[in-house]
Amino acid sequence: MTILDTRSEALSFAAGDVIAYRAPLGTTAPTPFADLADPWLCAGWIDVTGYTFKLTQTLKEVMAAGTLDPIRTVISAAPKTFDATFMEALNPVVISLYDDVPIANVLPVSPATAVTYTVASTPTDNRYAWVFYTLDGDKRIWNFAPNGKVTARGNDQAQQGDVTTLQMTITIYPETIGSVLASLQKTIDYGAADISAYV
């Protein structure tokens, strides 16, 4: 028997860049890998750890008389999140997401350079469309989430020895993409990597 070896270093992926964008909720899905413009806003530099996509499934085992093994497993929840550490603590996009306020609230009126705003004591439900985009040479991964909000935030620590970073978790929710109810649309460009053994 011959064992087929399809291993290829070209199919490994090391993110050379990681970019996050947000736009108002209801924004149409952009063309994958396109240069994004208004209403999309870039959240700036992201830490070298990139983003972490998590699909956490909560399983419930159904037991029945006559066996000690479950007879089936039911998925009772499957939340999807993106975690990222944003390095531009003064980027208005990042500030508005972290403090959960509209971006207009954090922008000074020209020619002023300072702005004062309030952070509500009751959390709001500010949701946005999101794109998380990463590339490795000619290989690219594009994630579009039409409905997401920041649901967890790391500490805002001003420090002398390093830049202030803001860590956030974005939870994504189902929305219609095209004609399908989904929470995420993913596009992968394999570039010049040979995938002929898989098709």
Side-chain angles (χ1 to χ4, degrees):
M1 178 178 173
T2 302
I3 298 174
L4 182 62
D5 187 350
T6 60
R7 292 176 290 181
S8 169
E9 64 83 25
L11 293 178
S12 64
F13 192 90
D17 202 356
V18 178
I19 311 169
Y21 300 88
R22 73 102 171 125
L25 186 68
T27 301
T28 303
T31 302
F33 313 119
D35 291 332
L36 296 182
D38 187 55
W40 292 97
L41 298 174
C42 181
W45 288 107
I46 291 177
D47 183 76
V48 294
T49 55
Y51 67 73
T52 302
F53 173 68
K54 297 180 186 175
L55 170 54
T56 308
Q57 292 187 343
T58 302
L59 305 176
K60 178 181 179 181
E61 295 182 339
V62 179
M63 306 299 293
T67 179
L68 297 179
D69 296 316
I71 60 168
R72 68 177 291 190
T73 302
V74 178
I75 299 174
S76 58
K80 299 169 187 65
T81 60
F82 283 93
D83 291 337
T85 300
F86 300 91
M87 297 184 69
E88 297 180 20
L90 291 183
N91 182 318
V93 176
V94 174
I95 294 170
S96 69
L97 292 169
Y98 189 85
D99 286 339
D100 202 18
V101 296
I103 194 167
N105 292 22
V106 304
L107 296 173
V109 177
S110 182
T113 59
V115 64
T116 300
Y117 63 96
T118 57
V119 178
S121 59
T122 304
T124 54
D125 192 26
N126 289 318
R127 297 188 184 213
Y128 304 96
W130 294 83
V131 166
F132 285 89
Y133 175 34
T134 182
L135 57 153
D136 176 8
D138 64 352
K139 297 173 288 191
R140 304 176 291 178
I141 301 173
W142 176 278
N143 297 283
F144 168 68
N147 184 349
K149 67 178 285 183
V150 176
T151 54
R153 296 162 175 82
N155 296 331
D156 180 358
Q157 179 181 355
Q159 52 190 325
Q160 183 178 12
D162 205 346
V163 297
T164 299
T165 60
L166 297 174
Q167 190 281 329
M168 289 180 266
T169 298
I170 295 96
T171 300
I172 57 178
Y173 303 96
E175 194 72 54
T176 301
I177 304 175
S179 60
V180 178
L181 182 65
S183 53
L184 184 66
Q185 181 184 63
K186 189 170 215 162
T187 304
I188 298 174
D189 183 347
Y190 292 97
D194 181 8
I195 59 168
S196 60
Y198 304 94
V199 295

